[in-house]
């Protein structure tokens, strides 16, 4: 858990701050004095960590650790870069940003479609409660008025994405119902389901050489048990046929993950 938290903390800047702001500094790498660059990056890092604390105060929730994990999984596994840094908007008390925990985008050359990924993060000790909450949030996220709200946010803050002028214009055409490209946009829900997994404690007496194989077997068995329940809940909620990317992330302890991350960022538990 400590190693996971340490790894996540290295991506706080790219997650929390607008890509355009980070790019401005990265463009100076190798040009400005090395010590000046490190100092400037440390300032960005401090700003990003302060945003986490302010978001915690503004929203009265501590789900940002899960949102950061979902951000990395979406960027790495789905190869979909973050479009808008929601964290930088959450701290504005006058701006209603409740909705998706993350907004990512990827152009699919095979289908010639723009895929917009709307993220939801759910961390629960009980996996059944996590799945139930995830399905509820997915249904809510796909409501037309919710999608419109998220698209409005993208349209208003697209300059944060670090895109050049041509790329911005192309993106906006996919969001404009009066443009032909609007019909080629595909909305996809990404959802992280983090939960306590008893297999971690069961492996404590396992031969270290065979621990990974044993864990994989236990994980596959758990997923096989969960699959019918997930399918039933999606079907009962009218979500069959909707594009959804689920990341099921077993942990030794969801609460410990939250506590470690909050301590790493520097806010009170």
């Amino acid at each position: 858990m400590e190693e996971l938290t340490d790894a996540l903390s290295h991506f706080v800047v790219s997650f929390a701050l607008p890509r355009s702001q980070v790019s401005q500094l990265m463009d100076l790498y190798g040009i400005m004095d090395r010590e000046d660059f490190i100092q400037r990056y440390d300032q960005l890092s401090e700003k990003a960590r302060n945003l986490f604390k302010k978001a915690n105060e503004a929203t009265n929730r501590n789900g940002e650790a899960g949102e950061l994990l979902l951000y990395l999984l979406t960027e790495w596994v789905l190869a979909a870069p973050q479009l808008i840094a929601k964290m930088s908007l959450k701290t504005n008390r006058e701006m209603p940003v409740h909705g998706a925990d993350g907004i990512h985008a990827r152009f699919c050359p095979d289908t010639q479609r723009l895929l917009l990924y709307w993220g939801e993060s759910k961390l629960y000790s009980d996996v059944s409660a996590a799945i139930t909450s995830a399905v509820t949030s997915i249904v809510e996220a796909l409501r037309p008025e919710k999608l419109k709200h998220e698209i409005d946010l993208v349209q208003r803050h697209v300059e944060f994405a670090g895109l050049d002028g041509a790329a911005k214009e192309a993106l906006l055409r996919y969001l404009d119902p009066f443009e032909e490209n609007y019909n080629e946009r595909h909305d996809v829900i990404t959802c992280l389901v983090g939960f306590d997994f008893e297999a971690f404690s069961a492996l404590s007496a396992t031969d270290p050489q065979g621990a990974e194989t044993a864990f994989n077997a236990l994980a596959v068995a758990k997923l096989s048990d969960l699959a019918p329940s997930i399918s039933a809940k999606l079907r009962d909620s009218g979500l069959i046929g909707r594009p959804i990317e689920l990341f099921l992330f077993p942990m030794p302890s969801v609460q410990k993950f939250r506590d470690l991350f909050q301590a790493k960022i520097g806010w009170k538990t």
Side-chain angles (χ1 to χ4, degrees):
M1 297 293 285
E2 287 78 4
E3 288 88 345
L4 171 62
T5 307
D6 287 343
L8 285 177
S9 68
H10 292 300
F11 297 92
V12 166
V13 169
S14 56
F15 168 69
L17 299 179
R19 189 178 297 269
S20 57
Q21 189 173 348
V22 179
S23 297
Q24 287 175 1
L25 179 58
M26 293 298 106
D27 289 343
L28 298 175
Y29 182 77
I31 298 176
M32 69 186 309
D33 180 79
R34 180 173 179 271
E35 290 186 0
D36 288 343
F37 181 85
I38 292 174
Q39 184 180 36
R40 291 275 295 275
Y41 188 83
D42 285 344
Q43 290 172 347
L44 277 188
S45 180
E46 183 178 0
K47 182 176 181 179
R49 291 169 186 268
N50 285 335
L51 277 176
F52 271 86
K53 297 174 189 177
K54 290 179 180 177
N56 175 245
E57 295 170 359
T59 62
N60 196 30
R61 58 191 293 264
N62 60 356
E64 283 74 19
E67 293 175 20
L68 177 52
L69 181 55
L70 175 60
Y71 155 81
L72 290 175
L73 291 170
T74 306
E75 290 223 335
W76 294 350
V77 178
L78 301 179
Q82 180 173 254
L83 193 58
I84 300 294
K86 269 297 191 73
M87 186 65 65
S88 63
L89 303 179
K90 285 183 179 180
T91 54
N92 186 342
R93 296 180 182 273
E94 297 180 358
M95 182 175 295
V97 295
H98 303 294
D101 292 330
I103 304 175
H104 294 245
R106 178 173 71 89
F107 183 75
C108 179
D110 296 333
T111 62
Q112 292 293 298
R113 279 183 166 179
L114 178 74
L115 304 180
L116 283 184
Y117 295 93
W118 313 104
E120 296 289 338
S121 170
K122 301 296 177 184
L123 300 181
Y124 283 75
S125 296
D126 179 68
V127 65
S128 179
I131 292 170
T132 298
S133 179
V135 171
T136 299
S137 291
I138 291 171
V139 171
E140 181 71 10
L142 287 171
R143 288 171 50 198
E145 58 269 29
K146 286 291 185 179
L147 282 175
K148 183 179 184 302
H149 168 70
E150 298 295 341
I151 290 172
D152 286 345
L153 279 180
V154 174
Q155 290 171 324
R156 293 202 304 271
H157 301 285
V158 67
E159 70 274 9
F160 291 170
L163 302 174
D164 60 29
K168 288 179 186 176
E169 290 183 12
L171 171 65
L172 291 173
R173 283 197 292 271
Y174 281 97
L175 305 178
D176 185 349
F178 295 101
E179 291 281 351
E180 187 64 28
N181 285 0
Y182 182 82
N183 297 318
E184 301 304 324
R185 192 189 83 237
H186 213 43
D187 295 307
V188 184
I189 301 297
T190 59
C191 191
L192 169 69
V193 178
F195 58 96
D196 288 358
F197 189 33
E198 61 277 5
F200 286 100
S201 57
L203 289 174
S204 59
T206 303
D207 174 14
Q209 297 299 321
E212 185 172 350
T213 300
F215 179 84
N216 287 343
L218 291 170
V220 169
K222 183 67 173 181
L223 293 175
S224 297
D225 289 340
L226 291 175
S229 173
I230 294 173
S231 179
K233 288 180 179 179
L234 291 174
R235 182 183 61 250
D236 293 345
S237 298
L239 293 172
I240 296 299
R242 299 303 300 259
I244 300 168
E245 298 280 358
L246 282 176
F247 295 106
L248 291 127
F249 203 99
M251 298 180 178
S253 168
V254 164
Q255 187 58 52
K256 184 177 180 181
F257 172 60
R258 283 200 181 100
D259 292 344
L260 285 171
F261 182 76
Q262 290 185 191
K264 191 75 176 179
I265 293 300
W267 78 54
K268 296 179 180 179
T269 303

